[in-house]
Amino acid sequence: MPNNVNTEVAWNYHQATTHSYTSVRTNPHFLDFSNQPLPFKIYPALEPSRMPTEVRQTEIAALSAIAASIPAASKAAPNLEAIAQLLYLSAGITRQRKYSGGEIYFRAAACTGALYEVELYLVCGDLDDLQAGLYHFAPAEFGLRRLRAGDYRHVLVEASGGEPAIAHAPLTIVCTCTYWRNAWKYQARTYRHFGWDNGTLLANLLAVATALGLPASIVCGFVDATVNRLLDIDIQREVAFSLVALGHDSGLSAHTAPPSQTAPRGLADISPLGLETVPLSRDEIDYPLMREMHAASSLDSAEEVAAWRAGTPLGRTEMTDSPPPAAPVVRLQPLSDAEMPRDPIEQVILRRGSSRQFARSPISLPQLSTMLDRANRGVPADFLNPLGSQLNHLYLVVHAVEGLDPGAYVFHRDRGVLECLKQGDFRDQAGYLGLEQPLAADAGVDIFFLADLRPILQRFGNRGYRAVQLEAGILGGKIYLAAYAQRLGATGLTFYDDDVIRFFSPHAEGKSAIFLVAVGHSVKRLA
Ligand SMILES: Cc1cc2nc3c(=O)[nH]c(=O)nc-3n(C[C@H](O)[C@H](O)[C@H](O)COP(=O)(O)O)c2cc1C
């Protein structure tokens, strides 16, 4: 029996990494700054080739770019300049700040603890200004290190069970996650962060791809061992988490894309690279629970992948809809195209930075509506079929939104309405739910992502757990961008899992807390 269907593993992992008032207080963990992991993966023997650093303005409004995607069959291939743009605006270093212990290199997308455990690899055929190969993105040098020469795309086609977007893509980006870099701070809960942090990065990547006219498709179904072998990563430490197919060339397909002369024909021919990498820390602590979770959510053969993807779509009602509203509703009032701020996606990404303090001043209902509307228009991913389905449900604690009574709400995406679950000033409770952080109490609104894991795990097996976390990260990343596009602030936050469900119950009974993003007016702090 494939591991993936034994969903007890995901349930156990979820339960074991639940934050509660007691678990947080009884955890003896402390941050050992003398053993802090390096924020970059470094191959010391390979020189990176630098990429163009100029950020070209696409003039595409961020609020348009996050809401749309380029149709899958539109012929397009990225050149090196576009690749540089995609990498810089999703995982590049956009700010740096000195602190007593050293320097923090902040990246384009929000990431838990600014620990940046997601690495990016490129698998491409011959492109303008970039030869076919497997490359690792080196953010510190803003360059690419070539790990393999030749066209290896057929390996991904095989690993993804012939997924059409991958089969037609001139370029696929493989996102991997490194356990220790994040577990240094967050211990075994890091596996959830893989989805969150990979997701915020993908929100940027998808928006930039759209602005550049490139179709992009997220692929979660692949044979893990094959992809990991292609990258030659040490799977005790780093694992492939998601693939993003970029561009479309109708001339390629699973059957017609022949391996180039320099690339091997079969998987067995993928030779180990044996490349040295710089250790991240003096020593690393292993959290086996995460590796168990990863192994149990791995897919072992192309047939298993194809069957995983072909399974019955979760019914729209099960996935997206709560029961019809039973209480008064407020209709969203999103800004029209003519009214909406048109700040280009590049500017908005460079402006973004998680709010460290919120003023308690209100945002407007049109601002909130625009965020919810634009961020929830569908994510092109192989586990979201049909396009527009969604695994997570949005629940809100409204503190200060002009035109909306303070209270708890559930968002009915299909109807474009917010149903009021209870009215009242819940700033104190929300501050508590957000792991007792004032940010959740001071925000204009806290947006919680909740999911019913039962049908998700039943349909997708343990891999559904990866998918639901990743989707939440993508949607949360879009909300970040939609907030900054309107000159508001936002921050991801962690939370007390079961208390969140209790707060939104009875409506939320049976669901699990997946993600939280708070939005409001940032207080600008003097440097
Ligand atoms: C999913 C997620 C959860 C986060 N949780 C917290 C949190 O609990 N408390 C906090 O102060 N910041 C939190 N952050 C913000 C990160 O600390 C921040 O993204 C990181 O320091 C990088 O800075 P930047 O977002 O300004 O680029 C979170 C961010 C994400 C993406």
Side-chain angles (χ1 to χ4, degrees), residues 102-448:
E103 200 149 6
I104 306 184
Y105 299 94
F106 288 96
R107 310 278 199 92
C111 179
T112 50
L115 292 164
Y116 305 112
E117 73 276 15
V118 181
E119 298 285 339
L120 301 182
Y121 298 81
L122 277 57
V123 180
C124 63
D126 279 328
L127 298 172
D128 275 357
D129 308 318
L130 191 67
Q131 288 177 354
L134 163 68
Y135 297 85
H136 174 251
F137 171 50
E141 294 90 352
F142 197 60
L144 296 174
R145 287 188 167 92
R146 186 152 82 168
L147 308 182
R148 296 184 193 271
D151 191 345
Y152 284 83
R153 288 176 296 164
H154 64 285
V155 177
L156 298 184
V157 176
E158 192 178 315
S160 65
E163 208 286 330
I166 298 275
H168 289 284
L171 165 69
T172 292
I173 294 184
V174 181
C175 307
T176 68
C177 297
T178 306
Y179 293 110
W180 171 244
R181 203 177 289 138
N182 193 272
W184 170 72
K185 180 167 183 184
Y186 298 105
Q187 303 176 279
R189 198 164 155 104
T190 281
Y191 202 81
R192 301 186 186 206
H193 295 203
F194 282 4
W196 302 353
D197 296 331
N198 191 176
T200 56
L201 185 156
L202 290 180
N204 286 21
L205 190 64
L206 290 175
V208 176
T210 296
L212 292 171
L214 292 167
S217 182
I218 294 165
V219 173
C220 268
F222 54 87
V223 180
D224 296 77
T226 305
V227 176
N228 292 335
R229 181 134 115 219
L230 178 65
L231 309 182
D232 196 19
I233 50 182
D234 172 0
I235 59 165
Q236 300 301 312
R237 295 187 160 83
E238 180 186 0
V239 287
F241 202 81
S242 66
L243 314 180
V244 191
L246 286 156
H248 181 91
D249 183 343
S250 54
L252 292 169
S253 84
H255 304 292
T256 59
S260 75
Q261 286 174 338
T262 46
R265 289 223 133 254
L267 193 53
D269 299 331
I270 299 175
S271 52
L273 291 167
L275 290 166
E276 184 195 344
T277 57
V278 177
L280 295 181
S281 283
R282 188 184 60 231
D283 35 55
E284 298 187 7
I285 299 165
D286 183 29
Y287 295 93
L289 198 60
M290 290 196 281
R291 284 188 296 97
E292 281 162 28
M293 176 62 218
H294 190 75
S297 57
S298 290
L299 302 174
D300 296 332
S301 66
E303 293 71 37
E304 191 185 355
V305 170
W308 179 84
R309 192 173 295 117
T312 338
L314 282 182
R316 274 182 85 83
T317 44
E318 239 175 325
M319 283 173 72
T320 59
D321 255 353
S322 315
V329 296
V330 177
R331 184 153 294 285
L332 294 191
Q333 298 168 19
L335 297 167
S336 66
D337 280 355
E339 294 165 323
M340 92 183 176
R342 304 209 58 84
D343 302 14
I345 183 67
E346 301 81 18
Q347 276 178 27
V348 169
I349 288 177
L350 296 178
R351 177 191 302 162
R352 192 209 61 77
S354 298
S355 302
R356 298 296 79 196
Q357 193 185 343
F358 288 115
R360 290 195 170 196
S361 51
I363 68 170
S364 70
L365 181 56
Q367 285 174 323
L368 173 63
S369 304
T370 301
M371 264 183 287
L372 294 176
D373 171 42
R374 297 268 158 177
N376 286 283
R377 290 203 188 171
V379 174
D382 62 345
F383 57 88
L384 295 174
N385 177 21
L387 178 69
S389 18
Q390 200 161 297
L391 306 178
N392 283 276
H393 301 255
L394 274 58
Y395 285 74
L396 284 67
V397 191
V398 170
H399 305 308
V401 178
E402 267 166 20
L404 204 53
D405 291 327
Y409 292 81
V410 60
F411 176 42
H412 293 267
R413 203 166 65 98
D414 290 3
R415 295 179 170 80
V417 299
L418 291 165
E419 174 187 356
C420 185
L421 302 177
K422 53 186 171 187
Q423 280 189 10
D425 174 350
F426 295 116
R427 282 196 189 271
D428 289 349
Q429 287 94 320
Y432 171 79
L433 296 178
L435 221 73
E436 302 174 62
Q437 299 180 83
L439 282 159
D442 295 337
V445 55
D446 295 308
I447 304 173
F448 288 87

